[in-house]
Amino acid sequence: MVRTTTSRTTTAGRRVLPLLTALALLAATLAVASLLGGSYRASPDAVLRSLLGEGTPADDVVVLGLRLPRLCAALLVGAALATAGAVFQTLTRNPLGSPDVIGFTTGSATGALAVVVIGVGALSPAAGAWLGGALAAGVVLLLTRGAGTGSDRTVLVGIALAAALASVNDYLITRAPLEVAQVARTWLFGSLAVTRWPDVAVLAASLTVLLPAVFVQARTLRVLDLGDDVAAALGVPLGRSRVVLVLTAVGLTGTATAAAGPIGFVALAAPQLARRMLRAPTIPLVTSAVTGAVLLLAADLAAQRLLAPLQLPVGLVTGAIGGAYLLWLVVRAPGSR
């Protein structure tokens, strides 16, 4: 078994660079399509001039003011969600253990909605999203204490909590004024349409801190994936490591949710796709982040183009794809027959 794992790890290591190169080229292609297309057609020359600071006012408004921040936000939100999904799936040792399934994304949405609708002190929606996700994680860990994060009980409790929090979110919307309720309902679908540079700046600043904090724990995650007994024997402080990883992943989830609303599927699918593409024994963090960024960028481009000139919230596109992916995952699971 050790030889098999070592062999799979070596094979995955050789595949990392070619796969990341391919994903980067795909992201570049999608980015070009995102900047050029749309109801306002901008030529490649016009886009290039705007990027170089020499564009016309009309081109600058569309390219620099609308499309470029949306593109950047899609990449950052996708990377944040995929990394959070990789952490939670590794801790739970379950491909369903992503933040959108086990309630943490819904908890972040509840926190942000509570700030917007009710008003909670001087908190911002972003802070509310982080606090809501942390409280949801705390509830799940409290209700599953003694069972360990690697048990199926964690996933089941998280699903139940997500359902309860979804009802809370609907109630909060009924309490809001009509204008606020309409905006909140659109935000709950998950959308990048109104993302602007200040949102991108907050995302970038947060991820500059949170992503490295997760990546430096990559070895700890790999050891935790082997089981609690093995991790303890290798000297990993189980309690402290789990708390740090959970809080960091919740921070990533809250940051992404505050910027774009609760977007499903990306955190669920990106880590597993990255693992399958590399044929790796464990979930690769960096590859998962890049895969999530490309997935969300592709989904947002589809949301803009599928029913043009009508634009769909990207959360509806990822939700539809995620439902199909979840069915496929369940059917392929051992013992599903």
Side-chain angles (χ1 to χ4, degrees):
M1 180 177 178
V2 174
R3 289 181 179 178
T4 302
T5 302
T6 303
S7 176
R8 291 180 64 188
T9 302
T10 303
T11 302
R14 289 197 298 264
R15 292 174 178 268
V16 169
L17 185 57
L19 178 58
L20 290 179
T21 302
L23 289 173
L25 291 174
L26 179 56
T29 303
L30 293 171
V32 171
S34 179
L35 292 176
L36 293 178
S39 56
Y40 180 88
R41 295 287 178 177
S43 66
D45 184 57
V47 170
L48 182 59
R49 284 200 306 268
S50 290
L51 294 176
L52 294 176
E54 301 174 356
T56 65
D59 289 339
D60 286 348
V61 168
V62 174
V63 175
L64 301 181
L66 299 177
R67 292 178 182 171
L68 189 57
R70 182 169 183 168
L71 186 159
C72 294
L75 293 173
L76 293 173
V77 170
L81 290 175
T83 305
V87 171
F88 287 126
Q89 288 178 16
T90 301
L91 290 177
T92 60
R93 293 191 286 279
N94 191 319
L96 296 180
S98 68
D100 46 346
V101 174
I102 59 178
F104 300 164
T105 300
T106 312
S108 295
T110 303
L113 277 177
V115 171
V116 172
V117 175
I118 301 176
V120 182
L123 288 179
S124 65
W130 293 330
L131 183 59
L135 289 175
V139 170
V140 170
L141 294 178
L142 180 64
L143 294 178
T144 58
R145 66 186 186 279
T149 55
S151 69
D152 290 338
R153 183 179 176 185
T154 302
V155 176
L156 294 175
V157 169
I159 292 173
L161 179 63
L165 290 175
S167 298
V168 173
N169 293 344
D170 290 337
Y171 170 73
L172 288 173
I173 289 179
T174 64
R175 289 280 310 275
L178 180 59
E179 297 83 0
V180 176
Q182 289 175 340
V183 174
R185 175 58 67 183
T186 301
W187 180 81
L188 275 179
F189 290 141
S191 177
L192 295 166
V194 295
T195 305
R196 298 295 179 263
W197 285 118
D199 305 305
V200 175
V202 173
L203 273 169
S206 300
L207 267 59
T208 299
V209 176
L210 294 172
L211 286 180
V214 173
F215 294 155
V216 298
Q217 295 286 324
R219 180 183 176 279
T220 300
L221 270 175
R222 288 195 296 269
V223 174
L224 288 172
D225 193 42
L226 299 175
D228 292 351
D229 293 338
V230 175
L234 292 175
V236 174
L238 298 180
R240 186 180 66 188
S241 297
R242 285 200 190 99
V243 169
V244 171
L245 286 166
V246 167
L247 288 179
T248 308
V250 165
L252 288 170
T253 304
T255 299
T257 304
I263 296 176
F265 167 65
V266 177
L268 176 69
Q272 294 301 316
L273 290 175
R275 182 176 184 176
R276 290 173 187 275
M277 288 188 292
L278 286 179
R279 299 178 187 174
T282 59
I283 296 176
L285 288 177
V286 175
T287 309
S288 295
V290 177
T291 302
V294 175
L295 276 178
L296 189 56
L297 181 58
D300 190 50
L301 186 60
Q304 298 177 57
R305 304 287 191 269
L306 283 178
L307 299 178
L310 176 66
Q311 292 197 15
L312 297 173
V314 67
L316 294 183
V317 176
T318 60
I321 300 173
Y325 171 80
L326 188 57
L327 287 175
W328 175 80
L329 195 65
V330 171
V331 169
R332 282 181 56 90
S336 62
R337 297 186 184 276

